[in-house]
């Protein structure tokens, strides 16, 4: 039986859409087959041509919910007393949304002056769909009495169908006036003490989402549209965000503090000294959100040309014919709703909500609907959760690289790993300042110049058979990757992640020379975790071995199956070839046949079959025709390619054609974990590679 969760607002501005789509992500992370459905669109203004929630879900997940019924059509139904027909249409659309899901999140309606039918229709929808109701409220700028009253009133219509409540913007202060930590028993107890309805109605607190000012930060391009500004220099106006608006009219010494990352500066176009000071701040690394030049006097061209180097840093410069006061007022009055095309902000909002949802509640409430499935979101969540059980010390040789710094900060804050950045402290701090981020006090930074000498003798000893000398060792250790690998070899750290700025060879070569292979491994190999929309697959070997022989290919298959088990997958291994179980012949096929035989002989516990063509391994319909008796065909989740040419080409083709995330390559067979990054890696890619490395370190501790 499907579980239907209907989110109902207890008042205005509760963040209903944000909570609803965040709940989808929280459910997906638990391995639940989740769907999303918005019965009725409720546009904020007449300019909206599509429903935001539905678009957000389509952008951030593989789901394609049906378009909701437009609110004007709903008004016609109600005015003609045809609410029953409206509910029939809603059920029809619901069935489309719920076709492949075990749990469906349904977003309710807001009760507004423009649409006072919201409460009535929410009640009808809940009854029609037999839905469990999740009340959504918000505390920000409310009194406890007001919060309690809103929830109490909302319970009247839904009585026995309430599954629980989510409090958004839950900045509830404790006795000293500071926000109370949300993920604590004390918070729940305090909430129940100030809101008697939780005890009176026995309402479960499903989640408490903190107030996050950064989610209100629009892009500079959004600001430009709002005030109809003309970009003089576009810069990074689609990437930079506005956290504060500063009206600048004072002398330079009295406004130095506003020349900072995230500030949008508004000043008359003839204030040349402010323009020049802003340019100097940008050149010095401040990622100012933008400079808005106001008034009916055009800026001096000579001044703009003098500051041109600053514009090349990405600083957006906008021109508007409003006065500074009117421009600033329009900006302060800006609608905080997330624009429909702002994917980054949508993702951050979903992430914030998903982390705040009580995962125990999901498991307990939906036990009958939960089906074991390792979706990409669930896989990434599992990586972070398992890594944080006992954080490992992971060295990051590219310590002053911007994405690496942001990833290290996130890992530190989330307890994923104890990161060690290699680099000069002043360079890393300057980069962090330019990014507008703060380095945690417990984030470790090691200056390579201060420690290099102590690794010379150990390196000479390790590579003496290769005629290593002290001078050559010093030169090699000047490479931070080699230095980090030595730290790992000597047991000072548990793992290494590199590659954001270096080639794979730069990362892998020192590991092969200094870390060496495990006793049980014939070779070092690699796998990629391919995060398809509805599942995670493993591809191996796509990065290391050009043309493994049958014994080596068997070893790669065994290593990959073990890795699959270690990361929560039940491996079904397909040995890939251009032949399916004898449909073709040749020495390349013979190699795969022999490798498959060796694995079955050495490890009868591993579910494996081959040779299989990719389509027979991956697609049930094809498998039924080509290999109807195969235990693996049509349901493989570990794909072993016969050589590097095939594997590397396939992984890149799938990754780029399907526009999916691939995590890796993860190296297998080394005594200690070393992992590579793509030079185009995103911050999230680095975070999850660090988590993956930490988990490998845990596993090797238990060998």
């Amino acid at each position: 039986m499907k579980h239907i969760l209907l989110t109902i607002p207890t008042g205005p501005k509760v963040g209903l859409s944000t909570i609803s789509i965040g709940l989808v992500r929280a459910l997906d992370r638990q391995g639940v087959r989740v769907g999303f459905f918005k019965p009725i669109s409720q546009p904020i203004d007449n300019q909206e041509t599509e429903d935001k929630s539905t678009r957000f879900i389509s952008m951030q997940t593989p789901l394609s919910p049906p378009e909701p019924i437009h609110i004007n059509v709903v008004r016609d139904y109600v005015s003609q007393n045809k609410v029953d027909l409206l509910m029939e249409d809603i059920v029809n659309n619901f069935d489309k949304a719920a076709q492949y899901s075990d749990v469906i999140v349904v977003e309710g309606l807001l009760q507004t002056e423009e649409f006072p039918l919201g409460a009535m229709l929410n009640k009808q929808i809940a009854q029609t769909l037999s839905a469990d109701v999740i009340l959504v409220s918000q505390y920000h700028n409310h009194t406890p009495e007001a919060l309690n009253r809103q929830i109490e009133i909302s319970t009247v219509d839904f009585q026995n169908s309430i599954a629980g409540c989510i409090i958004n913007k839950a900045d509830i202060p404790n006795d000293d006036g500071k926000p109370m930590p949300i993920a604590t028993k004390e918070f729940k107890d305090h909430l129940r003490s100030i809101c008697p309805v939780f005890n009176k109605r026995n309402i479960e607190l499903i989640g408490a989402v903190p107030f996050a000012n950064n989610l209100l930060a629009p892009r500079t391009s959004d600001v430009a549209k709002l005030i109809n500004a003309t970009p003089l220099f576009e810069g990074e106006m689609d990437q930079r965000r506005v956290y504060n608006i500063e009206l600048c009219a004072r002398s330079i010494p009295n406004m130095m503090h506003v020349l900072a990352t995230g500030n949008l500066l508004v000043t008359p176009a003839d204030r040349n000294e402010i323009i020049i000071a802003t340019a100097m701040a940008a050149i010095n690394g401040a990622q100012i959100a933008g400079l808005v030049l106001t008034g009916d006097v055009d800026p001096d061209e000579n001044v703009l040309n003098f500051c041109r180097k600053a514009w090349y840093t990405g600083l957006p410069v906008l021109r508007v014919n409003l006065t500074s006061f009117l421009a600033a007022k329009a900006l302060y009055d800006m609608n905080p709703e997330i624009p429909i095309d702002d994917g980054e902000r949508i993702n951050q909002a979903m992430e914030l909500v998903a982390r705040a949802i009580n995962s125990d509640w999901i498991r307990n409430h939906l036990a009958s609907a939960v089906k074991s499935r390792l979706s990409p979101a669930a896989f990434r969540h599992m990586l972070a959760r398992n890594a944080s059980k006992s954080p490992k010390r992971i060295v990051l040789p590219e310590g002053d690289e911007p994405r690496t710094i942001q990833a290290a900060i996130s890992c530190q804050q989330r307890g994923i790993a104890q990161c060690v950045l290699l680099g000069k402290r002043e360079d890393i701090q300057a980069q962090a300042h330019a990014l507008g981020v703060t380095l945690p006090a417990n984030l470790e930074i090691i200056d390579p110049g201060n420690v290099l000498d102590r690794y010379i003798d150990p390196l000479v000893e390790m590579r003496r058979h290769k005629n290593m000398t002290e001078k050559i060792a010093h030169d090699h250790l000047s490479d931070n990757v080699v230095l980090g690998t030595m730290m790992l070899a000597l047991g000072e750290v548990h793992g290494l992640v590199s590659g954001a700025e270096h080639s794979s060879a730069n990362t892998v070569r020192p590991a092969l020379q200094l870390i060496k292979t495990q006793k049980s491994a014939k070779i070092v190999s690699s796998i990629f975790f391919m995060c398809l929309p509805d599942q995670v697959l493993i591809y191996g070997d796509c990065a290391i071995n050009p043309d493994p022989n049958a014994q080596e290919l068997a070893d790669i298959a065994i290593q990959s199956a073990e890795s699959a088990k270690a990361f929560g997958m039940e491996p079904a291994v397909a040995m890939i070839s251009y032949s399916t179980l004898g449909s073709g012949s040749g020495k390349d096929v013979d190699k795969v046949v022999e490798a498959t035989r060796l694995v079955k002989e050495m490890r009868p516990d591993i579910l494996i079959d081959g040779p299989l063509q990719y389509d027979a391994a991956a697609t049930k319909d094809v498998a039924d025709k080509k290999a109807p008796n195969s235990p693996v065909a049509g349901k493989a989740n570990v794909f072993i390619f016969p050589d590097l040419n095939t594997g590397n080409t396939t992984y890149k083709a799938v990754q780029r054609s399907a526009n999916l995330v691939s995590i890796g390559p993860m190296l297998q067979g080394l005594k200690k974990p070393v992992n590579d990054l793509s030079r185009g890696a995103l911050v999230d890619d680095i975070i999850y590679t660090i988590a993956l490395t930490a988990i490998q370190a845990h596993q090797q501790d238990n060998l």
Side-chain angles (χ1 to χ4, degrees):
M1 180 179 176
K2 296 181 186 294
H3 278 279
I4 304 165
L5 302 176
L6 174 62
T7 56
I8 299 292
T10 64
K13 298 181 180 180
V14 298
L16 183 67
S17 293
T18 301
I19 297 298
S20 300
I21 63 177
L23 183 58
V24 169
R25 175 165 292 183
L27 289 160
D28 188 47
R29 281 184 167 175
Q30 296 299 317
V32 176
R33 293 199 310 167
V34 60
F36 177 82
F37 178 52
K38 180 79 174 284
I40 298 168
S41 70
Q42 200 169 13
I44 294 174
D45 55 55
N46 293 328
Q47 295 179 349
E48 288 188 12
T49 58
E50 55 185 326
D51 180 70
K52 280 189 174 181
S53 300
T54 304
R55 174 69 184 278
F56 291 166
I57 287 291
S58 298
M59 288 170 60
Q60 296 294 327
T61 75
L63 300 175
S64 298
E67 281 298 316
I69 301 170
H70 196 275
I71 202 164
N72 290 337
V73 176
V74 173
R75 286 190 175 103
D76 290 340
Y77 269 119
V78 175
S79 66
Q80 297 171 40
N81 199 25
K82 295 181 178 179
V83 174
D84 289 343
L85 293 179
L86 170 63
M87 292 300 129
E88 288 181 20
D89 286 351
I90 287 175
V91 170
N92 182 54
N93 286 342
F94 172 82
D95 287 341
K96 296 175 185 175
Q99 189 174 2
Y100 302 108
S101 304
D102 294 320
V103 182
I104 306 91
V105 175
V106 181
E107 182 178 330
L109 289 156
L110 292 168
Q111 176 95 352
T112 66
E113 290 182 4
E114 296 78 15
F115 190 72
L117 303 171
M120 181 272 289
L121 288 173
N122 282 336
K123 185 176 180 180
Q124 287 281 347
I125 292 168
Q127 292 173 345
T128 300
L129 300 179
S130 299
D132 290 336
V133 171
I134 295 178
L135 300 177
V136 179
S137 196
Q138 67 101 358
Y139 186 83
H140 191 60
N141 295 329
H142 274 51
T143 64
E145 293 76 18
L147 176 64
N148 187 75
R149 184 166 57 252
Q150 282 192 349
I151 297 173
E152 178 77 55
I153 292 171
S154 299
T155 62
V156 174
D157 286 335
F158 302 104
Q159 295 294 335
N160 298 325
S161 60
I162 296 176
C165 181
I166 297 174
I167 306 294
N168 194 17
K169 307 173 189 176
D171 49 340
I172 296 177
N174 54 25
D175 293 338
D176 62 5
K178 295 180 180 179
M180 181 175 291
I182 286 173
T184 61
K185 180 178 182 297
E186 289 76 12
F187 177 87
K188 285 189 175 181
D189 292 341
H190 181 69
L191 184 64
R192 290 184 178 279
S193 70
I194 64 174
C195 293
V197 66
F198 279 91
N199 294 316
K200 180 180 177 182
R201 303 284 186 180
N202 195 27
I203 297 174
E204 176 73 19
L205 179 62
I206 297 172
V209 183
F211 177 76
N213 192 50
N214 64 308
L215 292 184
L216 303 178
R219 297 163 298 190
T220 308
S221 56
D222 299 325
V223 167
K225 291 176 186 175
L226 173 72
I227 58 176
N228 197 26
T230 301
L232 300 181
F233 301 95
E234 289 189 1
E236 298 173 344
M237 61 188 294
D238 288 326
Q239 290 81 42
R240 296 201 179 185
R241 294 194 175 273
V242 178
Y243 293 97
N244 296 295
I245 299 165
E246 299 288 348
L247 186 57
C248 302
R250 290 176 287 180
S251 63
I252 299 302
N254 291 323
M255 60 166 282
M256 296 290 289
H257 63 286
V258 306
L259 301 173
T261 295
N263 285 349
L264 183 75
L265 310 181
V266 181
T267 191
D270 58 356
R271 291 296 299 270
N272 294 329
E273 77 281 17
I274 294 178
I275 296 174
I276 293 171
T278 304
M280 287 295 297
I283 291 171
N284 285 328
Q287 294 196 348
I288 295 168
L291 176 63
V292 180
L293 303 178
T294 66
D296 55 5
V297 178
D298 288 329
D300 190 304
E301 285 295 328
N302 291 326
V303 171
L304 294 180
N305 288 330
F306 177 75
C307 298
R308 189 169 296 275
K309 186 176 180 181
W311 315 147
Y312 292 150
T313 67
L315 171 66
V317 182
L318 309 176
R319 179 77 178 92
V320 65
N321 287 325
L322 298 171
T323 65
S324 294
F325 173 78
L326 290 177
K329 184 178 184 302
L331 294 172
Y332 281 118
D333 293 338
M334 187 174 184
N335 189 330
E337 294 282 339
I338 301 175
I340 212 159
D341 63 343
D342 193 346
E344 180 183 355
R345 230 169 119 194
I346 297 163
N347 185 60
Q348 289 176 349
M350 291 178 72
E351 188 69 17
L352 183 71
V353 175
R355 289 184 191 173
I357 301 296
N358 184 344
S359 57
D360 288 337
W361 176 86
I362 293 175
R363 286 190 290 271
N364 294 336
H365 189 76
L366 308 177
S368 62
V370 173
K371 183 178 180 180
S372 178
R373 180 182 65 94
L374 194 62
S375 71
F379 177 70
R380 293 191 296 268
H381 179 61
M382 180 270 294
L383 287 180
R385 184 190 65 225
N386 289 355
S388 64
K389 288 179 179 177
S390 178
K392 294 294 184 180
R393 196 165 181 244
I394 307 298
V395 65
L396 307 174
E398 299 157 322
D400 58 1
E401 196 277 323
R403 292 163 295 164
T404 302
I405 292 172
Q406 293 176 79
I409 291 172
S410 180
C411 286
Q412 205 73 29
Q413 292 172 338
R414 295 168 62 182
I416 290 173
Q418 174 64 52
C419 293
V420 180
L421 296 175
L422 295 186
K424 292 185 178 297
R425 179 173 289 276
E426 56 268 28
D427 292 344
I428 294 172
Q429 287 178 329
Q431 190 65 256
H433 179 74
L435 292 167
V437 297
T438 302
L439 298 173
N442 61 344
L443 178 58
E444 191 174 354
I445 297 173
I446 294 178
D447 186 336
N450 294 338
V451 301
L452 184 151
D453 288 347
R454 75 171 184 242
Y455 296 101
I456 292 176
D457 288 344
L459 180 56
V460 170
E461 184 62 31
M462 287 181 185
R463 302 290 290 169
R464 191 179 300 279
H465 64 290
K466 293 292 185 180
N467 300 316
M468 178 68 69
T469 66
E470 289 186 5
K471 170 137 188 355
I472 296 174
H474 186 280
D475 291 343
H476 283 195
L477 289 164
S478 298
D479 181 341
N480 281 3
V481 179
V482 176
L483 180 63
T485 307
M486 278 299 298
M487 295 173 67
L488 179 59
L490 296 176
E492 297 175 1
V493 294
H494 300 102
L496 179 147
V497 173
S498 183
E501 292 183 315
H502 292 81
S503 69
S504 294
N506 288 129
T507 299
V508 175
R509 189 185 302 111
L512 295 175
Q513 293 172 345
L514 302 173
I515 304 300
K516 306 295 178 63
T517 59
Q518 299 170 4
K519 289 182 180 179
S520 61
K522 293 180 176 63
I523 56 173
V524 172
S525 66
S526 72
I527 58 172
F528 282 86
F529 293 93
M530 307 295 291
C531 298
L532 274 64
D534 61 348
Q535 64 177 325
V536 176
L537 303 178
I538 285 177
Y539 283 6
D541 174 3
C542 304
I544 303 295
N545 298 286
D547 189 17
N549 59 34
Q551 290 77 17
E552 291 169 337
L553 193 60
D555 197 42
I556 292 169
I558 291 170
Q559 291 178 9
S560 301
E562 291 293 341
S563 293
K565 289 181 182 178
F567 287 92
M569 300 170 64
E570 190 59 42
V573 182
M575 304 295 282
I576 301 301
S577 172
Y578 59 78
S579 168
T580 292
L581 302 179
S583 65
S585 61
K587 65 177 184 179
D588 292 334
V589 177
D590 293 341
K591 179 177 75 170
V592 177
V593 170
E594 176 62 10
T596 306
R597 185 192 69 78
L598 288 171
V599 175
K600 289 180 177 179
E601 180 182 286
M602 292 185 290
R603 292 291 303 273
D605 58 307
I606 293 177
L607 183 63
I608 186 170
D609 204 4
L612 293 170
Q613 292 165 292
Y614 190 99
D615 58 350
T619 307
K620 186 179 185 304
D621 291 345
V622 178
D624 289 343
K625 295 176 183 177
K626 291 187 175 183
N629 299 318
S630 170
V632 170
K635 52 192 175 197
N637 56 9
V638 179
F639 294 74
I640 305 301
F641 297 98
D643 52 56
L644 185 59
N645 183 50
T646 307
N648 190 269
T649 301
T650 303
Y651 116 73
K652 287 186 176 178
V654 173
Q655 179 191 37
R656 298 304 175 188
S657 299
N659 193 28
L660 55 82
V661 173
S662 64
I663 301 175
M666 184 187 94
L667 301 189
Q668 307 175 129
L670 285 169
K671 290 180 180 178
K672 298 181 180 182
V674 172
N675 286 309
D676 188 27
L677 297 165
S678 163
R679 275 171 280 184
L682 302 175
V683 173
D684 273 358
D685 298 333
I686 301 174
I687 291 170
Y688 292 114
T689 302
I690 291 170
L692 180 151
T693 306
I695 294 171
Q696 280 184 292
H698 280 292
Q699 294 159 358
Q700 291 183 358
D701 286 347
N702 297 325
L703 291 178

